[in-house]
Amino acid sequence: MPSPLSADRSAAQPPGRGSVDALISQARRLKGDVDAVRRDTQSDGSDPQDRWQRALCDLALHQLNDLDEHLAQLREGPPPVPESPEAVPAAETAAPAPRRGSLLSRVGSAEWNLLTDEASWSGELYQILGRDPAAPPLTLDELPSLVFDEDRPKLTAMVTDCLVDAKPIDGEFRVVRPDGEVRTVHMMGEPVLDTDGSTASMWAVVRDVSELRRSQRAVSETRDSLQRHRHRAQTEHRLAVELQEAVLPPWRGSLRLPRQGPETLDLAAHYLPSSSSALIGGDWYDALELADGETLLSIGDLTGHGVAVTSGMATLLGAVRGMAMAGAQPAQLMAWLNQLLDATVQPALGSAVCCRYRPGTRTLVWAQAGHPVPLLFRDGTGRRLRAPDGVLLGATPGASYEQAEETLEAGDLLLLHTDGLVPGHSGTGAVNRLLALAPRFGEARTAQDCVRTVVEEFDDTEREDDACVLIARVTS
């Protein structure tokens, strides 16, 4: 039976030239679209998502370039396989070597005649294997000498199955070129049977898939990297949530402080997480009954997100509680917090408001460090308290802080909050939105009702940052 590769194909006509041209045009348009997407996916290498997208684009371009070349070969018709390398001058049999890093793969062909022990290779196969076109082609017995040691059993098994059991060949193995470069090739072939059913020869096409496998490895590696990145982010988020829940006050609903005596504060608070970030921020609030019967109210925000910031927030809040229990007044407490942040190994900035409420005189003594000032609501209207001087925590070594006093009345409502409570508004705009809630606060019976009003009004699905609100209502 004549071999498909050694038969006379000089008269072969390319089938359906018009339809092949249409396929080539479609492939090239699609290639241009994919290339445009790849150019738009610029990356500095730090983001696993971008690396994954670029690797997938590389792989798609490789396949489309491959398809483009194969369609062009189909349009022009298959080249003849020479009887021997000497039959055609080397300049004609040798195709240009593929460019380093090119996504274009090459396809060569070969036939091994078992009856005459002769072999014939296409010029492209010489290029793939890095062999001198003037050298004779290797026999089947000699072929394994080019193959990577670990892959030789695979090639031997494929060839044996083809020659003995007439099974088609379809597999990959690595070859070592004379220059030491290792290439991955994919061989597909079939046995050619004689009239008595025995194997007379074997033909095969060999494709250099080195760049394809490189692209696939890049996709796999970036996918693995992305999965690790997501797993790490999920783990960090879980740790941050657990740490935050462990540090923030455990009470839910209303709380009354001090617990003894007629003059108390009705307290309620709420934490509103970001809807656009999976990372936990450094926002915190606290209410604590002190040893002298006064009540500590504090709220603040440490810049950044993640476990490190949540851990820093926990340290800051612990320091606030400890110093307040030791008798530190708000201004002194702020100065010591500033020193604490300034002395940390990891630089950080924070803002805070700390208040001491004296129930006997209904006096509020407070200080702030670059934080939104408390809002006071009385008789259906609201206003900002006059802010004492105070810079951000961690911004200036040795900074001093002032404190202010405000006498409260029965029924007054004090609102402390962090930046970002009012989505889409900051500064005066956010304050005005909060002050506009004064009539509704006047109708509320408890601090918890007031917190519920704030949450209903500002718990926006587009919230970009975490926020806290703490409300204290002076009981009669």
Side-chain angles (χ1 to χ4, degrees), residues 69 82 96 208 211 221 228 237 246 386:
E69 183 183 39
D208 185 348
E211 300 305 322
E221 290 169 359
R228 290 193 298 270
H237 180 265
R386 183 189 65 82

Side-chain angles (χ1 to χ4, degrees), residues 28 48 65 71 84 98 100 131 137 152 185 187 218 228 242-243 273 275 284 310 347 376 417 433 435:
R28 290 177 179 175
N65 277 328
L71 287 173
S84 66
R100 178 77 62 181
R131 302 280 294 176
R152 286 179 185 173
V185 297
M187 176 183 282
R228 290 193 298 270
E242 292 175 353
L243 180 58
S275 59
W284 51 271
T310 309
L376 177 63
H417 68 97
R433 292 287 303 276
L435 292 177

Side-chain angles (χ1 to χ4, degrees), residues 2 21 57 70 127 165 173 201 216 240 249 254 344 363 391 455:
D21 286 339
C57 287
H70 293 164
Q127 288 292 323
D165 299 326
F173 50 89
S201 62
Q216 290 175 332
S254 295
T344 57
T363 303
V391 298
V455 173

Side-chain angles (χ1 to χ4, degrees), residues 66-344:
D66 224 14
L67 177 62
D68 190 12
E69 183 183 39
H70 293 164
L71 287 173
Q73 291 178 353
L74 179 61
R75 180 180 59 184
E76 299 301 328
V81 178
E83 294 298 329
S84 66
E86 291 82 1
V88 180
E92 296 180 20
T93 60
R99 293 170 298 169
R100 178 77 62 181
S102 170
L103 290 175
L104 203 61
S105 63
R106 297 194 174 277
V107 179
S109 60
E111 181 179 4
W112 289 274
N113 191 312
L114 304 181
L115 302 179
T116 63
D117 201 26
E118 294 177 341
S120 59
W121 285 8
S122 68
E124 197 71 17
L125 183 55
Y126 277 90
Q127 288 292 323
I128 292 173
L129 300 180
R131 302 280 294 176
D132 182 358
L138 298 182
T139 65
L140 284 177
D141 292 335
E142 296 171 330
L143 187 61
S145 65
L146 299 180
V147 179
F148 204 73
D149 291 346
E150 296 178 0
D151 294 350
R152 286 179 185 173
K154 182 190 301 183
L155 174 63
T156 301
M158 289 192 300
V159 172
T160 301
D161 289 344
C162 179
L163 298 182
V164 176
D165 299 326
K167 293 182 178 180
I169 289 178
D170 187 355
E172 290 186 11
F173 50 89
R174 291 165 294 174
V175 296
V176 182
R177 293 160 53 105
D179 60 3
E181 182 182 7
V182 177
R183 307 292 290 179
T184 302
V185 297
H186 183 210
M187 176 183 282
M188 297 182 65
E190 293 182 355
V192 179
L193 303 181
D194 207 345
T195 54
D196 61 358
S198 61
T199 303
S201 62
M202 187 187 82
W203 65 270
V205 291
V206 179
R207 180 186 180 196
D208 185 348
V209 294
S210 303
E211 300 305 322
L212 173 61
R213 297 298 170 252
R214 179 201 60 79
S215 298
Q216 290 175 332
R217 284 194 300 271
V219 170
S220 177
E221 290 169 359
T222 51
R223 183 186 295 114
D224 292 344
S225 176
L226 181 60
Q227 290 175 345
R228 290 193 298 270
H229 178 79
R230 287 175 175 169
H231 178 72
R232 183 169 60 251
Q234 291 170 352
T235 301
E236 289 183 355
H237 180 265
R238 185 182 69 254
L239 292 174
V241 170
E242 292 175 353
L243 180 58
Q244 183 189 62
E245 291 177 347
V247 172
L248 292 183
W251 46 270
R252 297 293 184 267
S254 295
L255 174 70
R256 288 182 176 268
L257 293 179
R259 292 179 174 82
Q260 303 294 327
E263 304 292 342
T264 62
L265 292 179
D266 176 23
L267 299 164
H270 192 78
Y271 173 84
L272 295 92
S274 168
S275 59
S276 60
S277 174
L279 296 177
I280 300 296
D283 295 65
W284 51 271
Y285 63 87
D286 194 26
L288 180 67
E289 183 178 352
L290 302 176
D292 57 7
E294 297 183 2
T295 296
L296 171 72
L297 303 178
S298 63
I299 195 166
D301 182 11
L302 197 61
T303 57
H305 297 83
V307 175
V309 172
T310 309
S311 177
M313 175 268 289
T315 300
L316 205 64
L317 182 52
V320 169
R321 291 171 174 171
M323 289 186 284
M325 289 296 291
Q329 295 300 305
Q332 182 62 68
L333 193 151
M334 287 297 181
W336 285 341
L337 288 181
N338 182 65
Q339 292 180 15
L340 177 64
L341 281 187
D342 185 57
T344 57

Side-chain angles (χ1 to χ4, degrees), residues 328-368:
Q329 295 300 305
Q332 182 62 68
L333 193 151
M334 287 297 181
W336 285 341
L337 288 181
N338 182 65
Q339 292 180 15
L340 177 64
L341 281 187
D342 185 57
T344 57
V345 176
Q346 184 68 31
L349 291 175
S351 66
V353 165
C354 288
C355 313
R356 289 181 71 110
Y357 176 67
R358 300 167 182 166
T361 59
R362 290 179 178 160
T363 303
L364 185 78
V365 181
W366 69 286
Q368 65 86 27

